[in-house]
């Protein structure tokens, strides 16, 4: 029987994978998580009714929707369309209690930017994983803008936000490119007097800028070599619009890799995938590793480019990941590490320290799981070295802890297709934060991922 027990307030769910043969099919992955969050936020702050198609109904984006409902925004479902009755920039109401964004770093950091500009007090909280993630990176620059924002002594949530005497634009230099920090500052910048300018040392995803423009709010981006400067004037207006959300390339990544490492003859098509150039590091990295991956039917939905991605099984080789591709593939490294374990030769990733502060420490989580499966890998402070074995990548049977990190769970489910034996993956319930129908799509393409008793849940009662 399926097991979904509640332990310490967390839903427990384990998976058992079995090796697969051919991987094939024609699928669509759910809507993009980053864009779904932003569509709720900007739709709520716009004048008029915004319609959203392709919204990701995963736990993270549902938490963002509920946050705005708790602040008086009317949001309804009409068939597959979400309708938001925007309240305008200054129309939000004080929430009755702390806003709980669950597991979502994007929800928390972007909301901090919106709430910094409000005339009411609010508090942001999340689940056990999120409450340990760094929040000073948004609190500090928001304070520089005049916001009344505080985090705890460890620099983490709860984030307490009190009304301020008004925000003013700043010029902020980020030490690491981060779309979440940039977006928080741009959203606060709407409420600020003057211009908000964010400098980044590299490229980060630009969905906020694209969507602000779709809502009629001007944003300027200046490219200088690898760095980016983004500017916005406060005091503007967002006008309701219609948004169609592309398939999430971060979810498609699991299926790109599972097809690439599958037995010869496997072919998989993933339709309608967002291929915004700030997100396509996974495609470049897999192609550099020798994957047979092509983009077909390239087109646009609204302001975002999409394509059908066709992947054929092929022999992969290890590479040194070019530094400039790291931020463009930052969420995909768990499954890229699985591809590397199935490749010939050595794979090297550096400059990816951010992986240590995602939903888990993804360098440690992946290294522990890969080593348990018999992969030779070396942990670096800012990355990993993996010595692949294309003939027998995962020689050992193992039980792997996903540490409640959705992308760790799904990455090991992909590894399970090439394992010698069944593998067990613990604490998989958080997959629902980004990819609620992952197991159904996995089954449709020929993977075997079953829910089973949760061993973590039974070990200590
Ligand atoms: C996101 C930005 C990235 C990414 C996260 C989603 C966003 O984080 O890892 O999953 O939607 O803006 P950083 O901006 O912190 O790099």
């Amino acid at each position: 029987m399926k097991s979904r027990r509640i332990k310490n307030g967390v839903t427990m769910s384990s998976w058992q994978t079995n090796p697969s043969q051919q991987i094939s099919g024609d699928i669509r992955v759910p809507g993009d998580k980053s864009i779904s969050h932003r569509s709720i936020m900007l739709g709520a702050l716009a004048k008029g009714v915004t319609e959203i198609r392709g919204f990701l109904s995963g736990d993270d984006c549902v938490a963002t929707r509920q946050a705005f409902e708790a602040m008086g925004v009317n949001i309804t479902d009409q068939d597959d369309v979400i309708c938001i009755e925007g309240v305008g920039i200054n129309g939000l109401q004080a929430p009755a209690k702390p806003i709980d964004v669950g597991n979502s770093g994007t929800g928390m950091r972007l909301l901090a930017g919106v709430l910094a500009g409000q005339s009411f007090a609010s508090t942001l909280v999340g689940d056990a994983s999120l409450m340990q993630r760094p929040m000073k990176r948004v609190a500090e620059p928001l304070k520089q803008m005049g916001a009344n924002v505080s985090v705890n002594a460890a620099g983490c949530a709860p984030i307490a936000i009190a009304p301020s005497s008004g925000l003013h634009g700043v010029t902020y230099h980020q030490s690491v490119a981060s779309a979440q920090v940039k977006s928080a500052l741009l959203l606060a910048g709407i409420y600020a007097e003057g211009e908000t300018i964010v400098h980044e040392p590299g490229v980060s995803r630009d969905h906020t800028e694209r969507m602000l423009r779709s809502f009629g709010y001007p944003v300027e981006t200046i490219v200088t070599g690898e760095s980016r400067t983004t500017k916005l004037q406060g005091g503007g207006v967002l006008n309701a619009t219609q948004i169609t959300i592309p398939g999430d390339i971060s979810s498609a990544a699991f299926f790109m890799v599972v097809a690439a490492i599958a037995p010869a003859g496997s072919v998989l098509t993933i339709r309608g995938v967002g291929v915004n150039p700030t997100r396509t590091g996974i495609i470049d990295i897999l192609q550099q590793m020798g994957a047979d991956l092509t983009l077909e039917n390239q087109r646009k939905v609204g302001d975002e480019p999409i394509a059908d991605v066709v992947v054929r099984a092929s022999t992969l080789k290890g590479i040194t990941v070019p530094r400039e591709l790291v931020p463009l593939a930052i969420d995909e490294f768990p499954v890229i590490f699985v591809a590397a374990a199935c490749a010939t030769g050595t794979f090297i990733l550096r400059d990816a320290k951010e992986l240590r502060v995602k939903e888990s420490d993804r360098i440690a989580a992946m290294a522990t799981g890969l080593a348990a499966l018999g992969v030779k890998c070396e942990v670096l402070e800012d990355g990993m070295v993996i010595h692949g074995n294309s003939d027998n990548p995962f020689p050992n049977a193992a039980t792997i802890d996903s540490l409640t990190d959705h992308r760790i769970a799904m990455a090991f489910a992909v590894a399970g297709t090439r394992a010698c034996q069944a593998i067990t993956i613990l604490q998989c319930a958080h997959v629902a934060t980004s990819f609620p129908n992952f197991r159904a799509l996995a089954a449709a393409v020929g993977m075997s991922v079953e829910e089973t008793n949760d061993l973590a849940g039974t070990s200590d009662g």
Side-chain angles (χ1 to χ4, degrees):
M1 190 190 123
K2 281 185 189 172
S3 165
R4 260 170 186 267
R5 306 195 316 111
I6 307 283
K7 185 191 168 204
N8 298 334
V10 177
T11 309
M12 310 302 288
S13 158
S14 294
W15 290 350
Q16 182 170 307
T17 69
N18 278 295
S20 304
Q21 296 305 316
Q22 295 277 308
I23 296 291
S24 60
D26 191 327
I27 58 168
R28 254 173 213 281
V29 294
D32 187 276
K33 182 152 74 79
S34 293
I35 301 176
S36 293
H37 280 296
R38 288 155 170 84
S39 68
I40 294 282
M41 295 182 186
L42 297 191
L45 298 176
K47 276 185 173 170
V49 177
T50 290
E51 289 182 0
I52 306 171
R53 289 174 176 77
F55 182 76
L56 168 65
S57 288
D59 295 348
D60 279 10
C61 301
V62 169
T64 290
R65 171 183 175 159
Q66 288 168 347
F68 281 88
E69 287 172 333
M71 291 189 284
V73 181
N74 192 21
I75 306 178
T76 51
D77 296 278
Q78 290 171 17
D79 299 322
D80 287 343
V81 182
I82 291 189
C83 297
I84 308 181
E85 287 175 37
V87 295
I89 302 286
N90 293 310
L92 295 178
Q93 292 162 23
K97 52 182 188 176
I99 294 174
D100 187 345
V101 293
N103 192 239
S104 177
T106 306
M108 182 169 276
R109 294 189 178 120
L110 271 59
L111 263 166
V114 172
L115 294 172
Q118 306 305 316
S119 56
F120 52 79
S122 55
T123 305
L124 287 163
V125 295
D127 71 6
S129 150
L130 184 56
M131 297 296 272
Q132 287 170 21
R133 294 180 63 189
M135 291 298 149
K136 256 194 186 160
R137 54 178 65 192
V138 281
E140 286 305 322
L142 288 173
K143 277 191 214 167
Q144 288 178 24
M145 294 177 76
N148 229 326
V149 178
S150 58
V151 292
N152 71 13
C156 301
I159 303 184
I161 301 161
S164 74
S165 52
L167 303 186
H168 51 83
V170 289
T171 298
Y172 187 71
H173 289 262
Q174 293 196 47
S175 53
V176 178
S178 161
Q180 293 180 349
V181 174
K182 170 181 64 182
S183 301
L185 302 191
L186 294 177
L187 291 170
I190 293 175
Y191 294 91
E193 212 181 298
E195 196 172 31
T196 297
I197 303 175
V198 185
H199 289 293
E200 291 178 284
V203 181
S204 70
R205 62 193 67 189
D206 66 356
H207 303 303
T208 303
E209 298 91 297
R210 284 174 189 254
M211 199 181 288
L212 279 166
R213 292 184 194 115
S214 303
F215 278 86
Y217 203 109
V219 188
E220 194 185 343
T221 306
I222 300 159
V223 178
T224 322
E226 271 184 39
S227 60
R228 296 284 181 282
T229 303
T230 313
K231 298 184 183 182
L232 153 160
Q233 279 286 343
V237 173
L238 297 162
N239 290 309
T241 188
Q242 300 202 336
I243 297 172
T244 299
I245 297 177
D248 196 330
I249 190 168
S250 298
S251 297
F254 299 102
F255 288 96
M256 292 181 203
V257 172
V258 84
I261 64 174
S266 297
V267 189
L268 184 62
T269 301
I270 315 164
R271 298 206 183 264
V273 179
V275 288
N276 176 316
T278 62
R279 297 284 297 280
T280 44
I282 173 73
I283 292 175
D284 295 326
I285 290 170
L286 287 177
Q287 284 176 334
Q288 289 187 20
M289 292 176 76
D292 180 348
L293 187 156
T294 51
L295 299 189
E296 296 184 355
N297 197 12
Q298 296 198 40
R299 56 213 190 264
K300 262 190 150 185
V301 285
D303 216 14
E304 292 281 351
I306 64 168
D308 302 333
V309 182
V310 181
V311 190
R312 292 180 169 79
S314 54
T315 310
L316 301 183
K317 60 176 194 303
I319 61 164
T320 297
V321 177
R323 182 197 164 115
E324 66 278 7
L325 289 182
V326 172
L328 309 188
I330 195 69
D331 292 339
E332 285 66 73
F333 284 109
V335 79
I336 290 171
F337 292 157
V338 170
C342 299
T344 56
T346 304
F347 170 95
I348 304 171
L349 174 69
R350 308 278 336 226
D351 297 306
K353 208 170 172 187
E354 276 296 294
L355 291 179
R356 295 208 177 263
V357 289
K358 294 295 179 188
E359 285 83 328
S360 67
D361 175 342
R362 288 183 171 160
I363 294 176
M366 287 305 299
T368 305
L370 289 174
L373 289 169
V375 177
K376 291 195 176 65
C377 51
E378 291 136 41
V379 174
L380 308 172
E381 185 47 30
D382 63 347
M384 182 120 76
V385 178
I386 297 174
H387 305 280
N389 178 348
S390 57
D391 295 332
N392 186 13
F394 307 112
N396 301 345
T399 293
I400 288 152
D401 194 342
S402 77
L403 304 173
T404 76
D405 183 333
H406 54 139
R407 300 203 199 282
I408 302 296
M410 290 185 277
F412 281 109
V414 170
T417 62
R418 290 289 310 274
C420 296
Q421 306 161 60
I423 60 179
T424 300
I425 309 166
L426 304 178
Q427 307 205 79
C428 300
H430 279 65
V431 168
T433 59
S434 66
F435 204 158
N437 62 338
F438 173 76
R439 286 197 318 109
L441 284 185
V445 304
M447 296 169 69
S448 165
V449 186
E450 300 302 326
E451 258 188 337
T452 176
N453 285 329
D454 197 303
L455 303 180
T458 53
S459 61
D460 62 3

